[in-house]
Structure formats: C-alpha cells, structure tokens
Amino acid sequence: MEIIPAIDFKDGKVVNLKQGQPEQSTTYSDDPVGMAEHWVSKGCERLHLVDLDGAFDGQPRNAEAINTIAKNHPSLKIQLGGGIRSAQVIESYLDAGVDYLIIGTKAVQEPEFVGEMCKRFPGHIIVGLDGLHGMVAINGWKEVTDISVESLARLFEDDGIDGIVYTDIGKDGMMGGVNMHATKNLADSVNVPIIASGGVSNIKDIEALLEAGERLSGGITGVITGRALYEGTLDLEEAIALCRHFTPNK
C-alpha cells in the first residue's frame, strides 16, 4: 500500500478544507512546488494533487504549478483531480508529465465519458468517488446525488480504470479516523484497486488499512493523507516504512 501525500491547491496556495467547505480552510504553504519537493525528500513516491479552484469552477486553475511539479520530478507518480472534464485537459496534463487523471463530477454526470477516456488514454484514468452517507457528491462536493458510491463503482468496473479514489466527505480533513466500514465494503464489492482518502489521523489508521487490504477483492492499494501530515500527527517516513515491512496478522 502506498502512502500518498496530498497537495490541495486553492488561490495558488497549499490548503486543507474540512469536509470540503471553502470557509473552513487552513493554509499550510504559499509554495506548492516547494511542498512537493519536501514530500519527495521524505520518500514520497506518489503524490495526490487537487485543483480545488478547478473543482469549483469546472476547469483547470492551477495548471502552471502542477506542470512545474511534474517537470521537476519525472520519476514521481502524480495523480491529479479537480476540473478534469475534457479529453483536451487530460491530454494536456499527460503531456506535462502527470501520470493519472482523476475523473469525478464528469463521471457522475456522463458515465460513458470514463469508458471513452480509458480507451483513449489506457492506464491513466482513475475515478474519484466522493461520498456523504454513502451517496455520491459532485461539483466540489456542493451537490449530493441520489446515486450510491457502490453502485457507481460497479458501473465503471469493466471500463479499464486504473483505480478508484474513495473519499468519505464526512471524514475529510477532520482527522477522526478513516471510515473503515465504507472503505472495506467498497473494496470488497469491486475488483478495482481502491485508494482510501479522508480522516487519516495517525499511524494506527495506516495499520488498520493495511490489515483490511489483505482480505479484500480489489484491495486497498493506497491511502491519501493531507492534514495529518501537515499537522504532524503522522510521520511520512514512518508510514512508508510500515507499508514496506508490513506483515499481516494471521
């Protein structure tokens, strides 16, 4: 399982939003490019970037900084979400060195778009499913649909997606622990790798995800963490070492 530090962009800064609410924003840095350098220096091999402005506006807003990070770290795996709603945007970011594009709102509004993009850009498409009480939210989490996370995940299972980033909105940015029940249920219901997101608070959450991932269909292949790293309640180097040397309980 990979530990994936998150860099959320808003107004050119590195921020964290509690439960996706812009009015509950904490700024951690004015230098996203430097922050990426910091996490790489700590052993990060995969980075999760979110263009929050792009998510709210429906189109990229922080492309320059994102492209610079990709250029500076060609061996770093980068996954990007926020405003990914056209083939042109996907192609542009792939050309810049981003490895995976996360389709969220567009996947809900036009499910066929996911399959089309998987055919056009095989191995580079991830679906982002953001859930509140089990239901999918879109448009920067401003709108909650009547579609369940699990039913939508099954819809994309055969499209050739590289994975699903599942975020529990109620947990996101709250550092209250991962929603293990929902994450495990999702991972066990589809044969697609799941990247968990939302609620990581300390090393015990990483241990719990590692244990759970050993017993599930598609498996939990990664976990995204933001606030816990920035607040210092989770040490990135310790978490990476745990994943590398993890032995499941029998």
PDB file of all heavy atoms in Angstrom, residues 51-61 83 85 142:
ATOM      1  N   ASP A  51      -6.761  20.321  -7.674  1.00  0.00           N
ATOM      2  CA  ASP A  51      -7.010  21.709  -8.062  1.00  0.00           C
ATOM      3  C   ASP A  51      -8.404  22.079  -7.546  1.00  0.00           C
ATOM      4  O   ASP A  51      -9.401  21.890  -8.229  1.00  0.00           O
ATOM      5  CB  ASP A  51      -6.931  21.829  -9.585  1.00  0.00           C
ATOM      6  CG  ASP A  51      -7.081  23.263 -10.073  1.00  0.00           C
ATOM      7  OD1 ASP A  51      -7.475  24.136  -9.275  1.00  0.00           O
ATOM      8  OD2 ASP A  51      -6.821  23.507 -11.262  1.00  0.00           O
ATOM      9  N   LEU A  52      -8.456  22.588  -6.320  1.00  0.00           N
ATOM     10  CA  LEU A  52      -9.756  22.918  -5.721  1.00  0.00           C
ATOM     11  C   LEU A  52     -10.468  24.009  -6.503  1.00  0.00           C
ATOM     12  O   LEU A  52     -11.696  23.962  -6.676  1.00  0.00           O
ATOM     13  CB  LEU A  52      -9.568  23.346  -4.268  1.00  0.00           C
ATOM     14  CG  LEU A  52      -9.146  22.239  -3.296  1.00  0.00           C
ATOM     15  CD1 LEU A  52      -8.811  22.828  -1.934  1.00  0.00           C
ATOM     16  CD2 LEU A  52     -10.235  21.189  -3.156  1.00  0.00           C
ATOM     17  N   ASP A  53      -9.725  24.987  -6.971  1.00  0.00           N
ATOM     18  CA  ASP A  53     -10.329  26.034  -7.803  1.00  0.00           C
ATOM     19  C   ASP A  53     -10.927  25.412  -9.059  1.00  0.00           C
ATOM     20  O   ASP A  53     -12.014  25.790  -9.499  1.00  0.00           O
ATOM     21  CB  ASP A  53      -9.284  27.087  -8.189  1.00  0.00           C
ATOM     22  CG  ASP A  53      -8.655  27.749  -6.978  1.00  0.00           C
ATOM     23  OD1 ASP A  53      -9.410  28.284  -6.143  1.00  0.00           O
ATOM     24  OD2 ASP A  53      -7.420  27.737  -6.864  1.00  0.00           O
ATOM     25  N   GLY A  54     -10.212  24.459  -9.625  1.00  0.00           N
ATOM     26  CA  GLY A  54     -10.707  23.776 -10.820  1.00  0.00           C
ATOM     27  C   GLY A  54     -11.951  22.958 -10.534  1.00  0.00           C
ATOM     28  O   GLY A  54     -12.875  22.892 -11.352  1.00  0.00           O
ATOM     29  N   ALA A  55     -11.995  22.330  -9.354  1.00  0.00           N
ATOM     30  CA  ALA A  55     -13.166  21.540  -8.977  1.00  0.00           C
ATOM     31  C   ALA A  55     -14.401  22.423  -8.861  1.00  0.00           C
ATOM     32  O   ALA A  55     -15.498  22.042  -9.290  1.00  0.00           O
ATOM     33  CB  ALA A  55     -12.913  20.820  -7.654  1.00  0.00           C
ATOM     34  N   PHE A  56     -14.232  23.596  -8.279  1.00  0.00           N
ATOM     35  CA  PHE A  56     -15.365  24.500  -8.104  1.00  0.00           C
ATOM     36  C   PHE A  56     -15.757  25.183  -9.417  1.00  0.00           C
ATOM     37  O   PHE A  56     -16.936  25.413  -9.678  1.00  0.00           O
ATOM     38  CB  PHE A  56     -15.047  25.558  -7.043  1.00  0.00           C
ATOM     39  CG  PHE A  56     -14.926  25.006  -5.647  1.00  0.00           C
ATOM     40  CD1 PHE A  56     -13.787  25.204  -4.886  1.00  0.00           C
ATOM     41  CD2 PHE A  56     -15.958  24.256  -5.091  1.00  0.00           C
ATOM     42  CE1 PHE A  56     -13.676  24.688  -3.595  1.00  0.00           C
ATOM     43  CE2 PHE A  56     -15.855  23.730  -3.805  1.00  0.00           C
ATOM     44  CZ  PHE A  56     -14.716  23.946  -3.058  1.00  0.00           C
ATOM     45  N   ASP A  57     -14.763  25.478 -10.265  1.00  0.00           N
ATOM     46  CA  ASP A  57     -15.019  26.223 -11.499  1.00  0.00           C
ATOM     47  C   ASP A  57     -15.286  25.327 -12.700  1.00  0.00           C
ATOM     48  O   ASP A  57     -15.795  25.793 -13.720  1.00  0.00           O
ATOM     49  CB  ASP A  57     -13.841  27.141 -11.825  1.00  0.00           C
ATOM     50  CG  ASP A  57     -13.653  28.243 -10.788  1.00  0.00           C
ATOM     51  OD1 ASP A  57     -14.579  28.460  -9.985  1.00  0.00           O
ATOM     52  OD2 ASP A  57     -12.580  28.870 -10.784  1.00  0.00           O
ATOM     53  N   GLY A  58     -14.889  24.046 -12.607  1.00  0.00           N
ATOM     54  CA  GLY A  58     -15.129  23.133 -13.709  1.00  0.00           C
ATOM     55  C   GLY A  58     -14.049  23.136 -14.774  1.00  0.00           C
ATOM     56  O   GLY A  58     -14.217  22.521 -15.825  1.00  0.00           O
ATOM     57  N   GLN A  59     -12.930  23.807 -14.520  1.00  0.00           N
ATOM     58  CA  GLN A  59     -11.823  23.830 -15.463  1.00  0.00           C
ATOM     59  C   GLN A  59     -10.526  24.121 -14.706  1.00  0.00           C
ATOM     60  O   GLN A  59     -10.563  24.678 -13.608  1.00  0.00           O
ATOM     61  CB  GLN A  59     -12.053  24.882 -16.544  1.00  0.00           C
ATOM     62  CG  GLN A  59     -12.317  26.277 -16.029  1.00  0.00           C
ATOM     63  CD  GLN A  59     -12.695  27.221 -17.143  1.00  0.00           C
ATOM     64  OE1 GLN A  59     -12.074  27.226 -18.203  1.00  0.00           O
ATOM     65  NE2 GLN A  59     -13.738  28.014 -16.929  1.00  0.00           N
ATOM     66  N   PRO A  60      -9.370  23.729 -15.264  1.00  0.00           N
ATOM     67  CA  PRO A  60      -8.099  23.888 -14.549  1.00  0.00           C
ATOM     68  C   PRO A  60      -7.822  25.341 -14.164  1.00  0.00           C
ATOM     69  O   PRO A  60      -8.070  26.255 -14.941  1.00  0.00           O
ATOM     70  CB  PRO A  60      -7.064  23.386 -15.557  1.00  0.00           C
ATOM     71  CG  PRO A  60      -7.818  22.454 -16.439  1.00  0.00           C
ATOM     72  CD  PRO A  60      -9.193  23.051 -16.557  1.00  0.00           C
ATOM     73  N   ARG A  61      -7.291  25.524 -12.940  1.00  0.00           N
ATOM     74  CA  ARG A  61      -6.961  26.863 -12.459  1.00  0.00           C
ATOM     75  C   ARG A  61      -5.534  26.961 -11.914  1.00  0.00           C
ATOM     76  O   ARG A  61      -5.061  28.056 -11.666  1.00  0.00           O
ATOM     77  CB  ARG A  61      -7.943  27.284 -11.351  1.00  0.00           C
ATOM     78  CG  ARG A  61      -9.369  27.496 -11.823  1.00  0.00           C
ATOM     79  CD  ARG A  61      -9.459  28.588 -12.844  1.00  0.00           C
ATOM     80  NE  ARG A  61     -10.836  28.910 -13.214  1.00  0.00           N
ATOM     81  CZ  ARG A  61     -11.192  29.617 -14.286  1.00  0.00           C
ATOM     82  NH1 ARG A  61     -10.243  30.055 -15.107  1.00  0.00           N
ATOM     83  NH2 ARG A  61     -12.454  29.864 -14.539  1.00  0.00           N
ATOM     84  N   GLY A  83     -11.537  19.544 -11.758  1.00  0.00           N
ATOM     85  CA  GLY A  83     -11.758  20.192 -13.054  1.00  0.00           C
ATOM     86  C   GLY A  83     -11.351  19.350 -14.248  1.00  0.00           C
ATOM     87  O   GLY A  83     -11.151  19.884 -15.343  1.00  0.00           O
ATOM     88  N   ARG A  85     -12.499  17.487 -16.913  1.00  0.00           N
ATOM     89  CA  ARG A  85     -13.808  17.254 -17.532  1.00  0.00           C
ATOM     90  C   ARG A  85     -13.773  17.241 -19.053  1.00  0.00           C
ATOM     91  O   ARG A  85     -14.817  17.351 -19.710  1.00  0.00           O
ATOM     92  CB  ARG A  85     -14.817  18.290 -17.020  1.00  0.00           C
ATOM     93  CG  ARG A  85     -14.950  18.223 -15.492  1.00  0.00           C
ATOM     94  CD  ARG A  85     -15.922  19.172 -14.905  1.00  0.00           C
ATOM     95  NE  ARG A  85     -15.769  19.201 -13.441  1.00  0.00           N
ATOM     96  CZ  ARG A  85     -16.459  19.976 -12.633  1.00  0.00           C
ATOM     97  NH1 ARG A  85     -17.381  20.794 -13.132  1.00  0.00           N
ATOM     98  NH2 ARG A  85     -16.242  19.946 -11.328  1.00  0.00           N
ATOM     99  N   LYS A 142     -20.484  20.234  -3.533  1.00  0.00           N
ATOM    100  CA  LYS A 142     -21.582  21.152  -3.238  1.00  0.00           C
ATOM    101  C   LYS A 142     -22.942  20.495  -3.449  1.00  0.00           C
ATOM    102  O   LYS A 142     -23.952  20.963  -2.920  1.00  0.00           O
ATOM    103  CB  LYS A 142     -21.477  22.411  -4.117  1.00  0.00           C
ATOM    104  CG  LYS A 142     -20.273  23.294  -3.792  1.00  0.00           C
ATOM    105  CD  LYS A 142     -20.242  24.538  -4.673  1.00  0.00           C
ATOM    106  CE  LYS A 142     -19.937  24.207  -6.110  1.00  0.00           C
ATOM    107  NZ  LYS A 142     -19.764  25.418  -6.953  1.00  0.00           N
TER     108      LYS A 142
END
